[in-house]
Amino acid sequence: MAKTILAVDDSGSLRQMVAFSLKAAGYDVVQAVDGQDGLNKAKEKTVDLVLTDQNMPIMDGLTLIKHLRELGSYQKVPILMLTTESSDEMKAKGKAAGANGWLVKPFDPKRLIEVVQKVIGS
Amino acid sequence: MDMKTLPTTELRSLLAAVSDHGKQHLVEVEADLLQTTYLLSEAIEKLGVSFMAVHEAVTEQQNVIDNLMKVHQFDREETKKLEAFKLKIGDEVNAAVTGLQFQDLTSQLLTRTIKRVNGLKDLLHELGNHSDEIDPEHEHEEIAKFLDDMSHSLHEGSRALSGGLRRSVDQQDMATGDIELF
């Protein structure tokens, strides 16, 4: 059975590219338009990996991670940030919130898949 | 003009002109930025649709070639060429996926710029409003204090505006970003 990845980003074009890359590598993808939508979809079905943006309306990525880590079912699910933010300060905040990795946009599909495979397998 | 009195009328007129002209230009800047945002948004939508359609067609084409290769005997050179094309297409698709992320970056920068323009319009509006309060009947000290307060208020407004507009996009080109696993 294909593993499911929750992709959270307020940019439709970015979500489209993430979903395209992940589906081509054999993963199922659930998309969410902001942190709140991501949290709702994560509660509906526990996914194998969360890939989230940071700067989004309604709820940002760091807040989403904090909420997910409070849920029993998401304490060990890998969460990766995929964001334009690249400062060490933001990365430290991400790590403290419970992120397992930090990817700076724009992403290269090959490298994204390599990281995802490393974190959750094929 | 009696130089022993402050040229308050001229001062008011100058401040009102700075406010009005500044706002007028910023309205134009905002309109251009919104139009750019709209055009980029429509462009990425069309590019996304075309990209998906091209990819789908190329995938179908590849399936046909794969089936033909099972039935017909291709010579070694032709097979090598087809494999090279397949790899080339894969590399170009990856490059396109990276390039197509431009709108996410530019829209964040444009949104920040539009917010700054709106903040500047508010500051200029405040300047115009305050200038109306300058009364030629006031003592010099009162007017000096008023101008000082106005300057302080603008400084605070400008600082608050910058503070609320943290820079979130430092990328200077579309080179792919770093990856760090914790």
Side-chain angles (χ1 to χ4, degrees):
Chain A
M1 205 172 99
K3 292 191 172 165
T4 304
I5 296 171
L6 173 62
V8 190
D9 202 304
D10 59 323
S11 162
S13 60
L14 207 289
R15 281 199 314 278
Q16 188 182 33
M17 291 303 115
V18 168
F20 171 80
S21 306
L22 295 172
K23 282 177 185 172
Y27 296 102
D28 282 339
V29 181
V30 176
Q31 298 184 40
V33 298
D34 57 51
Q36 185 60 59
D37 188 29
L39 185 61
N40 295 342
K41 286 184 172 148
K43 283 176 180 171
E44 280 170 23
K45 183 197 173 190
T46 305
V47 298
D48 298 291
L49 173 100
V50 178
L51 189 62
T52 180
D53 184 21
Q54 163 54 17
N55 299 308
M56 296 178 284
I58 304 173
M59 186 191 289
D60 64 31
L62 291 178
T63 311
L64 168 65
I65 295 177
K66 285 174 194 163
H67 282 301
L68 287 174
R69 290 304 186 209
E70 284 167 6
L71 301 172
S73 53
Y74 277 91
Q75 279 177 5
K76 287 185 177 170
V77 171
I79 304 176
L80 301 174
M81 296 288 292
L82 176 60
T83 170
T84 55
E85 301 272 4
S86 56
S87 71
D88 289 340
E89 187 193 348
M90 285 302 289
K91 286 180 187 175
K93 281 184 184 175
K95 195 176 175 182
N100 300 95
W102 197 278
L103 290 81
V104 178
K105 292 174 182 174
F107 71 87
D108 171 67
K110 256 188 188 171
R111 290 180 70 200
L112 173 70
I113 299 306
E114 281 168 12
V115 171
V116 169
Q117 285 175 344
K118 192 173 178 182
V119 174
I120 59 167
S122 302
Chain B
M1 187 192 300
D2 179 0
M3 295 311 288
K4 285 180 182 170
T5 60
L6 279 175
T8 45
T9 309
E10 287 78 7
L11 183 60
R12 277 171 65 165
S13 170
L14 171 68
L15 292 174
V18 169
S19 172
D20 288 346
H21 288 297
K23 277 190 288 183
Q24 213 174 339
H25 286 293
L26 288 176
V27 164
E28 290 294 321
V29 172
E30 187 188 12
D32 287 351
L33 288 172
L34 286 170
Q35 191 180 352
T36 306
T37 306
Y38 175 78
L39 289 171
L40 284 173
S41 175
E42 199 181 332
I44 192 66
E45 206 179 312
K46 291 190 172 179
L47 279 170
V49 169
S50 297
F51 171 79
M52 292 299 176
V54 168
H55 184 263
E56 208 171 298
V58 169
T59 305
E60 286 300 313
Q61 191 183 39
Q62 186 60 47
N63 289 340
V64 172
I65 292 169
D66 288 345
N67 287 334
L68 282 172
M69 285 174 82
K70 282 177 197 163
V71 180
H72 301 282
Q73 190 67 40
F74 284 73
D75 70 35
R76 213 170 166 176
E77 272 307 300
E78 284 171 323
T79 308
K80 250 172 106 176
K81 265 188 192 173
L82 285 171
E83 283 302 321
F85 280 134
K86 198 175 172 179
L87 286 175
K88 171 88 175 145
I89 289 167
D91 287 345
E92 294 301 333
V93 165
N94 278 347
V97 167
T98 303
L100 284 167
Q101 294 166 56
F102 74 89
Q103 195 254 353
D104 178 44
L105 277 70
T106 53
S107 74
Q108 287 189 52
L109 289 167
L110 284 167
T111 301
R112 183 169 178 259
T113 311
I114 290 168
K115 281 182 183 166
R116 190 179 292 279
V117 166
N118 278 322
L120 273 174
K121 275 199 302 191
D122 291 343
L123 286 178
L124 287 172
H125 188 70
E126 202 180 327
L127 181 74
N129 279 350
H130 281 321
S131 69
D132 290 341
E133 296 166 19
I134 299 174
D135 189 343
E137 300 301 314
H138 281 166
E139 296 293 327
H140 285 195
E141 288 76 15
E142 279 181 293
I143 292 173
K145 186 180 179 313
F146 180 80
L147 289 173
D148 193 43
D149 286 349
M150 198 159 87
S151 169
H152 182 72
S153 163
L154 285 172
H155 178 73
E156 287 300 310
S158 177
R159 213 169 58 170
L161 177 62
S162 292
L165 293 172
R166 201 178 56 80
R167 189 175 183 84
S168 62
V169 180
D170 281 326
Q171 285 80 347
Q172 302 293 320
D173 53 42
M174 289 300 290
T176 52
D178 292 336
I179 295 174
E180 197 178 329
L181 289 179
F182 304 139

